[in-house]
Amino acid sequence: KVFEMILKRLEIMLSTRMMRCCTSRYSIMFLLGYLVYEQIQSFRLSSVIRQRRFFQNMADSESDVRTFASYVVYKGKGAVSLKVIPPTFSRVSGKDNSGFSGRTVSRDGALLFEFAPARPDAAREYDWTKKSSFSLSATECGDILAMDLVSGKEFLHDPNMGSANAGMLTKKLKLVATPDEKGAFLSLTVTDKSPSKMSSSCSVPLTLGELEVIRTLLAYSIPRLLAFDSVLDSPSTTTFNNDYNR
């Protein structure tokens, strides 16, 4: 097919008035070589374009698929999983007629710890229907990274804070080193003072390796919980001169 196109173009060019006076053997050979080179370059370019379109279509199709991931530690009396809650965004538009549009963070993301007790009637099975959860903000993730493990760290949350039911339900997440300092205990205590009295407590021992995985996930997630990665990696990010004068 390529050579058929070359011969066709050569026939067209030789039929022109300009090429009638330049039909020496060397001229034709030069022209033939040029046409071969031109067709090869055109073929390469079209191949690159097809590859780019293929990978772009793959990226577009995968962008519509939501990914779920978690890190789970299973122990004798309970299990704990770590999941990410991505930030949420709101659409914004320019106040003028420039056509500017974008998005802003309406709610920061968080890292979610979920604790489940072990089933008493089965080994290494866990009752996730009775799970208790505790979410860490980006700042609280930083507190864990900066903490002294021996001293430990506690976080207290009141989901009803600011409402008439404040203090009825509290959650306390605690991370502290084991007595031999060769690991840590991660525990969640839920105190429910409402009539339902759904209080619970679960503690999961962590090895130093498991603790390091959790710390690494926290450090990696902090800028993403605040959507800094979306700002810095966006191809449409524009920095205005007055941003440097703040």
Side-chain angles (χ1 to χ4, degrees), residues 76-80 114-118 126-127 130-134 169-174 185-192 197-205:
K77 294 184 178 181
V80 59
E114 292 183 331
F115 291 78
Y126 306 89
D127 191 352
K130 297 181 179 179
K131 67 182 180 182
S132 301
S133 60
F134 193 98
L169 178 67
T170 57
K171 299 181 179 183
K172 182 172 69 173
L173 182 72
K174 184 177 181 180
F185 287 110
L186 181 63
S187 61
L188 175 61
T189 302
V190 178
T191 303
D192 188 357
K197 294 185 178 180
M198 299 294 292
S199 299
S200 63
S201 181
C202 185
S203 181
V204 177

Side-chain angles (χ1 to χ4, degrees), residues 148-205:
D148 176 18
L149 186 59
V150 176
S151 302
K153 190 70 178 179
E154 289 186 4
F155 301 95
L156 183 65
H157 284 186
D158 183 353
N160 299 317
M161 182 177 293
S163 69
N165 294 323
M168 296 296 292
L169 178 67
T170 57
K171 299 181 179 183
K172 182 172 69 173
L173 182 72
K174 184 177 181 180
L175 179 62
V176 66
T178 56
D180 59 5
E181 299 181 16
K182 294 183 179 180
F185 287 110
L186 181 63
S187 61
L188 175 61
T189 302
V190 178
T191 303
D192 188 357
K193 299 179 182 179
S194 67
S196 60
K197 294 185 178 180
M198 299 294 292
S199 299
S200 63
S201 181
C202 185
S203 181
V204 177

Side-chain angles (χ1 to χ4, degrees), residues 21-222:
C21 62
C22 186
T23 57
S24 68
R25 182 177 63 179
Y26 296 106
S27 299
I28 295 175
M29 289 178 63
F30 173 79
L31 179 61
L32 183 61
Y34 172 77
L35 290 176
V36 171
Y37 171 79
E38 187 182 54
Q39 287 297 323
I40 291 175
Q41 293 297 103
S42 176
F43 177 77
R44 287 177 177 174
L45 180 60
S46 62
S47 177
V48 171
I49 293 175
R50 286 196 300 269
Q51 287 183 355
R52 287 181 178 176
R53 287 177 179 174
F54 173 76
F55 288 114
Q56 183 62 46
N57 291 336
M58 284 185 60
D60 292 341
S61 62
E62 291 181 356
S63 64
D64 298 331
V65 179
R66 186 175 179 183
T67 302
F68 298 91
S70 62
Y71 175 64
V72 188
V73 177
Y74 302 98
K75 293 300 170 72
K77 294 184 178 181
V80 59
S81 71
L82 177 60
K83 301 177 181 178
V84 63
I85 302 175
T88 56
F89 300 89
S90 299
R91 289 285 183 182
V92 295
S93 58
K95 296 181 180 179
D96 51 16
N97 296 323
S98 61
F100 167 80
S101 65
R103 61 179 186 172
T104 184
V105 178
S106 57
R107 184 174 183 178
D108 293 339
L111 284 181
L112 182 68
F113 283 101
E114 292 183 331
F115 291 78
R119 291 183 180 273
D121 55 345
R124 308 295 283 182
E125 291 189 13
Y126 306 89
D127 191 352
W128 292 99
T129 62
K130 297 181 179 179
K131 67 182 180 182
S132 301
S133 60
F134 193 98
S135 61
L136 288 178
S137 66
T139 301
E140 290 170 330
C141 291
D143 288 336
I144 290 181
L145 295 176
M147 67 174 280
D148 176 18
L149 186 59
V150 176
S151 302
K153 190 70 178 179
E154 289 186 4
F155 301 95
L156 183 65
H157 284 186
D158 183 353
N160 299 317
M161 182 177 293
S163 69
N165 294 323
M168 296 296 292
L169 178 67
T170 57
K171 299 181 179 183
K172 182 172 69 173
L173 182 72
K174 184 177 181 180
L175 179 62
V176 66
T178 56
D180 59 5
E181 299 181 16
K182 294 183 179 180
F185 287 110
L186 181 63
S187 61
L188 175 61
T189 302
V190 178
T191 303
D192 188 357
K193 299 179 182 179
S194 67
S196 60
K197 294 185 178 180
M198 299 294 292
S199 299
S200 63
S201 181
C202 185
S203 181
V204 177
L206 303 174
T207 65
L208 291 178
E210 292 164 344
L211 180 60
E212 185 62 26
V213 171
I214 292 176
R215 289 169 57 89
T216 302
L217 291 174
L218 297 184
Y220 179 82
S221 300
I222 289 175

